[in-house]
Amino acid sequence: MVEVLADYQLVSNRAAGIIADQIRATPRGVIGLATGGTPVGAYDRLVALHQTQGLDFSNLTTFNLDEYVGLSPDHPQSYHSFMWQHLFSHVNIRASHAHVVSGLAHDFDQACAEWEHRIEASGGIDLQILGIGSNGHIAFNEPGSTLTSRTRVVELAERTVQDNARFFDRPDEVPRTAVTMGIGTILEARRLLLMATGDHKAHAVAVALEGPVTSDVPASALQRHANVHVLLDTAAASQLNSV
Ligand code: F6R
């Protein structure tokens, strides 16, 4: 299902509403979380729902999609820090239930296998939040990632490094490798919620939703999932043929 709303604020509020409904329906459930600029508004709104309506995170488990390799959890640009800054510090989630893979593992093969096992042991992800890269990536599954890929260390595409440079003081500080859930891992979530806003996402959204399913456009894999909700603003939807 593709839903187009006027602007970022409406997309954020709608996304937060969907996530809040999921938390209320399965308070002991599991949500997959994304970082980046797109979900910040939705996280702000979830914080407001916690503060004003008592939305309860105390029994919830979360798993984040990805983390930069080489950044410690307390590095200001780590995705661990991002999640605590934008969401976890402001709601009543238990720290031991809020999982962000470490970017500093000694043995990443083992850490990735444990991550997959932990998701499985939690009962699997009920709702996975996703953004999309301007090159069509989901999580850090860059073009060329197989549609059955699992959690692993990947090299970031040059375009992703450039897109993410805005979060760092200097371009050469942007890490070039990351740990990411695989496309196969993501497709196992029971529901997917993809958010995209802005005209710089319009091409990626159009090829992902209306082009062929191909590892050249990792987000096209979502066409293989039976329960996907896509939330777009008008700018991000502007190159779709049918909405
Ligand atoms: C981040 C992630 C990435 C972003 C994507 C879009 O956890 O998984 O795939 O969703 O790079 O980033 P923004 O929202 O900054 O445009």
Side-chain angles (χ1 to χ4, degrees), residues 8 33-40 43 64-67 79 82-83 128-142 160 163-164 166-167 180 186 194-197 200-201:
Y8 177 77
L33 298 172
T35 55
T38 310
V40 169
Y43 295 157
N64 264 79
L65 285 170
D66 39 24
E67 178 59 288
Y79 285 165
F82 176 101
M83 289 311 304
Q128 175 66 59
I129 316 306
L130 296 167
I132 182 171
S134 57
N135 66 354
H137 74 209
I138 44 170
F140 277 139
N141 295 285
E142 301 287 17
T160 301
D163 283 350
N164 290 355
R166 70 191 194 279
F167 295 111
T180 183
I186 291 168
L194 174 74
M195 303 167 68
T197 57
H200 61 301
K201 296 292 176 71

Side-chain angles (χ1 to χ4, degrees), residues 217-234:
V217 183
S220 66
L222 303 195
Q223 295 179 38
R224 296 262 166 90
H225 196 285
N227 197 344
V228 187
H229 194 138
V230 181
L231 275 179
L232 306 172
D233 70 354
T234 346

Side-chain angles (χ1 to χ4, degrees), residues 131-212:
I132 182 171
S134 57
N135 66 354
H137 74 209
I138 44 170
F140 277 139
N141 295 285
E142 301 287 17
S145 300
T146 67
L147 305 184
T148 54
S149 52
R150 311 302 305 189
T151 304
R152 68 204 185 287
V153 172
V154 294
E155 201 173 315
L156 299 180
E158 192 51 42
R159 179 124 171 232
T160 301
V161 173
Q162 284 165 17
D163 283 350
N164 290 355
R166 70 191 194 279
F167 295 111
F168 290 80
D169 292 336
R170 294 201 328 265
D172 63 346
E173 286 176 8
V174 189
R176 304 221 149 225
T177 47
V179 193
T180 183
M181 285 196 208
I183 299 175
T185 321
I186 291 168
L187 292 180
E188 281 171 10
R190 288 182 269 282
R191 287 171 73 200
L192 304 178
L193 174 61
L194 174 74
M195 303 167 68
T197 57
D199 51 15
H200 61 301
K201 296 292 176 71
H203 179 70
V205 166
V207 291
L209 300 187
E210 294 182 341

Side-chain angles (χ1 to χ4, degrees), residues 80-100:
H80 179 276
S81 294
F82 176 101
M83 289 311 304
W84 280 91
Q85 183 191 338
H86 291 287
L87 183 64
F88 298 154
S89 297
H90 314 289
V91 297
N92 62 336
I93 195 162
R94 283 190 247 174
S96 59
H97 288 187
H99 304 290
V100 183

Side-chain angles (χ1 to χ4, degrees), residues 61-122:
T61 296
T62 62
F63 289 94
N64 264 79
L65 285 170
D66 39 24
E67 178 59 288
Y68 290 119
V69 165
L71 298 193
S72 67
D74 60 358
H75 186 286
Q77 266 73 45
S78 75
Y79 285 165
H80 179 276
S81 294
F82 176 101
M83 289 311 304
W84 280 91
Q85 183 191 338
H86 291 287
L87 183 64
F88 298 154
S89 297
H90 314 289
V91 297
N92 62 336
I93 195 162
R94 283 190 247 174
S96 59
H97 288 187
H99 304 290
V100 183
V101 73
S102 172
L104 288 184
H106 294 296
D107 179 343
F108 275 105
D109 285 347
Q110 192 189 336
C112 292
E114 277 172 16
W115 181 258
E116 292 271 345
H117 179 72
R118 217 186 271 179
I119 294 175
E120 208 182 302
S122 74

